[in-house]
Amino acid sequence: MQKKYAKDREKLSQEQMKLYQQAGVNPLGGCLPALIPWPIMIGLYQAITTVMGAQPEQLMELSKHIYQALPQLATAVPVNGDFLG
């Protein structure tokens, strides 16, 4: 088809659409399902970047808030000023 309608792009696109309709194929069927999780991914990214600290000291403050909610976790994972050096 591309050789037959190489000079006429409009006719080529019309023939391709006819071919898609005859075969029962949706040309956008491959990309639309991939767009569905985008809002979820953006929300997760924003939630993680909002909670995470930009500096290691801010991460230590985050661990204090987590340990208040789960006191048994404090003994399992010791995080303090001497952690990793």
Side-chain angles (χ1 to χ4, degrees), residues 10-48:
E10 187 175 325
K11 185 68 174 171
L12 175 64
S13 63
Q14 289 175 355
E15 291 297 321
Q16 284 179 339
M17 286 307 295
K18 284 181 187 177
L19 181 64
Y20 290 152
Q21 288 175 352
Q22 289 173 357
V25 175
N26 184 1
L28 297 177
C31 66
L32 287 180
L35 295 177
I36 292 172
W38 272 101
I40 297 168
M41 297 299 284
I42 291 171
L44 284 174
Y45 175 77
Q46 288 180 349
I48 290 170

